[in-house]
Amino acid sequence: MSNEWIWLSPPHMSGGELNYIREAFTDNQVAPVGRHIDRFEQELAEYTGIAHAAALSSGTAALHLALILCGVEEGDDVLCPSFTFAATANPIRYQKATPVFVDSENETWNMSPEWLEFAIQDRINKGGRPKAVIPVHSFGVPAKMKEITDIARRYELTVIEDAAGAMGSFYHEKHTGSFGDFTVLSFNGNKIITTSGGGALLSDDESKIEQARYLATQARDPVPYYRHSEIGYNYRMSNVLAGVGRGQLEVIDERINQRREHFKQYRLNLESLPGISFPDEPEAAFCNRWLTTMLVNPENSGGVTREETRLKLDSEKIEARPFWNPLHLQPVFRSFPWYGDGVCETLYEQGLCLPSGSGMPEPDRNRVISSIQEAFWK
Ligand SMILES: Cc1ncc(COP(=O)(O)O)c(C=O)c1O
C-alpha cells in the first residue's frame, strides 16, 4: 500500500499558470491591478454567461459585498440554508443582520423552497424584515432555483447565489448563478479551479459590479487626491493570482470530466454495499461533482456508520470529510431563527465527502474504494 496521504480535494495546477505569472512579473503588474485581472473577469463572464464579474480576494468577500450592494443592514433578515459552510452566513453578521436558517430538501440537499416560504411568512408575521436570500449550490449540485426565485420575487427579496463550489455546474443549460441577482464564486485551494485564495462576484447589472470594484478598493472617490465618502474594503484580487486563475480556467472542462469520472467509479463500485447511496443528478442539472458525496444509513448497513467509515479511511491515510454540521446547531449561530424538520441534521449524520481531486490517479481512487469495501466486509 502506498504510504502517501490521499487528500480530499488538493489544488491541481496545469503548468500553464506559470506563463501568466511570469507575464505579471515581466510587466511588473504585481498588485491588485493589471491585465490579468481585467482578462480573468472577462473570461469568467464568458464562461458563465453572466455579463459582468469582479475578481476579489475570496468568495466570502464577494458575499459581503453582495449584501452591502443590496442594502442589507442591521435588523434585516437574510435567509440562507443551514446546510452550508459558515462562510455563507458570516457576512450576514458582518452587516449585523439576522441569518434565518432554512432546512434542506431531500432531492438536491439544498434550500427547501417550502421551508423558505414558510420562514419568510413567519418572519414577516413576527415583524422581521426579510431582505435577501442566499441559496447555495452545495457540492456543485444546483439548488431548485425556479421555485426559489419565484418566492423571492413574490416577497421582493434580492437573490445572491452562493456558487462557491459550483463553477461549471449548469441548470436548465444555464450556469449556476444565472438565476438570481448576484453570484458568488470561490477559487479557494480546494475548489474546482483555484487561485490559491480568491473569489468573484458576478451580475448582469454592470453598475453593481462597478460599485463592487470601488468598495473592494477602499471606496476611493474618483478624484486625483484621496477622498472617501463611504467605508471601503481591501477585497481585490492580486494580478498574479488572476494569472493563476486564467491558467486554471483553460482546463476547467477537463477538470470537471475528471471529477465526474471519480463520482461514476465510486458509485459503480460502492453503491451495492448495504446502506450506501449516492445522489442522482437532478433533472435538468449538470453537476460538476466538485466533491463526490455519499450517505451511509446505519439502519441498512448492518450498523456501519459514516464515522466508522471515515475513521477507517483516516487510518489508511485517506482524507474523507463529514458533511457540514448544520449552522443552526453551531454555538455562534444557535440564537438565530431556524425553520425545518431536520433533513440537514440527518445529512450531517450520514454524509461523507470522498477524495475527489481532479489530479487523483486511478490507483489512489481504487485504494479509497477498497478501504470502504473492507469497512463493510469487516
Ligand atoms: C458554500 C461556500 N460558500 C462560501 C465559501 C467561501 O469561499 P472563500 O473560501 O473563497 O472565502 C465557501 C468556501 O469554501 C463555501 O464552501
Side-chain angles (χ1 to χ4, degrees):
M1 188 187 83
S2 156
N3 210 24
E4 296 292 316
W5 270 93
I6 301 175
W7 300 111
L8 187 74
S9 181
H12 184 188
M13 294 294 114
S14 68
E17 300 85 1
L18 283 172
N19 297 329
Y20 292 108
I21 294 175
R22 212 170 287 119
E23 206 176 300
F25 275 58
T26 310
D27 299 347
N28 204 25
Q29 291 189 333
V30 185
V33 282
R35 190 148 40 95
H36 289 330
I37 298 182
D38 300 342
R39 286 295 299 138
F40 188 44
E41 289 179 342
Q42 285 161 15
E43 288 160 5
L44 286 172
E46 278 158 27
Y47 183 83
T48 58
I50 302 167
H52 305 280
L56 302 169
S57 56
S58 69
T60 311
L63 280 159
H64 188 199
L65 291 181
L67 290 170
I68 295 170
L69 290 170
C70 62
V72 167
E73 51 191 38
E74 186 161 7
D76 289 335
D77 285 350
V78 179
L79 296 108
C80 75
S82 182
F83 187 62
T84 182
F85 186 48
T88 308
N90 282 335
I92 301 172
R93 294 300 298 142
Y94 302 166
Q95 289 304 99
K96 297 192 171 64
T98 303
V100 176
F101 295 113
V102 177
D103 207 351
S104 302
E105 37 82 8
N106 271 308
E107 189 193 355
T108 72
W109 304 345
N110 292 309
M111 181 183 262
S112 151
E114 285 75 27
W115 278 115
L116 171 65
E117 183 149 26
F118 183 88
I120 296 169
Q121 284 174 351
D122 192 61
R123 291 298 296 168
I124 292 171
N125 290 342
K126 289 180 172 147
R129 294 202 310 261
K131 190 90 163 252
V133 53
I134 312 181
V136 180
H137 307 292
S138 295
F139 309 124
V141 178
K144 299 201 168 192
M145 289 312 298
K146 296 228 171 227
E147 291 87 337
I148 291 171
T149 47
D150 271 358
I151 295 166
R153 210 169 297 122
R154 239 178 293 134
Y155 294 91
E156 297 179 3
L157 307 188
T158 305
V159 179
I160 301 165
E161 290 183 62
D162 182 342
M167 177 112 191
S169 288
F170 291 79
Y171 189 49
H172 290 275
E173 295 181 1
K174 285 167 72 175
H175 195 276
T176 44
S178 311
F179 300 85
D181 302 284
F182 293 98
T183 298
V184 167
L185 298 174
S186 168
F187 310 118
N188 200 319
N190 64 1
K191 294 297 187 292
I192 208 134
I193 62 165
T194 184
T195 57
S196 77
L201 182 67
L202 294 94
S203 174
D204 284 331
D205 184 337
E206 186 171 15
S207 69
K208 294 283 187 208
I209 294 302
E210 269 170 13
Q211 233 177 319
R213 293 193 190 105
Y214 151 81
L215 289 172
T217 41
Q218 306 289 16
R220 286 174 65 168
D221 288 343
V223 291
Y225 53 92
Y226 286 105
R227 195 184 70 192
H228 303 270
S229 309
E230 54 187 313
I231 297 294
Y233 303 85
N234 184 2
Y235 277 172
R236 225 29 185 134
M237 180 181 278
S238 135
N239 190 59
V240 180
L241 299 187
V244 176
R246 293 188 68 192
Q248 289 269 287
L249 202 49
E250 284 172 358
V251 292
I252 187 169
D253 291 338
E254 204 181 297
R255 300 297 190 247
I256 291 170
N257 288 340
Q258 285 156 327
R259 289 190 190 248
R260 283 176 64 87
E261 180 63 18
H262 292 324
F263 179 90
K264 189 172 143 198
Q265 292 302 326
Y266 281 134
R267 184 172 204 170
L268 203 64
N269 288 282
L270 296 172
E271 200 169 41
S272 58
L273 293 173
I276 285 196
S277 61
F278 289 81
D280 288 328
E281 198 151 38
E283 205 192 326
F286 174 85
C287 303
N288 65 10
R289 297 298 185 201
W290 165 46
L291 295 178
T292 289
T293 53
M294 69 173 197
L295 298 179
V296 182
N297 182 346
E299 282 175 22
N300 307 328
S301 66
V304 181
T305 61
R306 179 266 284 156
E307 193 50 11
E308 277 171 25
T309 313
R310 189 188 71 78
L311 288 171
K312 166 82 162 58
L313 291 164
D314 187 72
S315 73
E316 293 175 12
K317 294 190 168 178
I318 297 168
E319 185 192 22
R321 251 189 228 168
F323 286 1
W324 291 301
N325 194 354
L327 294 187
H328 73 276
L329 301 176
Q330 303 287 339
V332 69
F333 293 125
R334 216 175 270 154
S335 60
F336 294 105
W338 140 255
Y339 293 87
D341 51 14
V343 170
C344 61
E345 292 169 32
T346 306
L347 289 171
Y348 170 64
E349 281 156 24
Q350 300 188 357
L352 194 63
C353 301
L354 301 180
S356 305
S358 45
M360 179 171 64
E362 198 178 325
D364 280 4
R365 187 177 65 217
N366 289 338
R367 221 177 100 197
V368 182
I369 291 170
S370 302
S371 178
I372 296 173
Q373 286 169 337
E374 284 161 21
F376 279 73
W377 293 336
K378 66 184 171 164

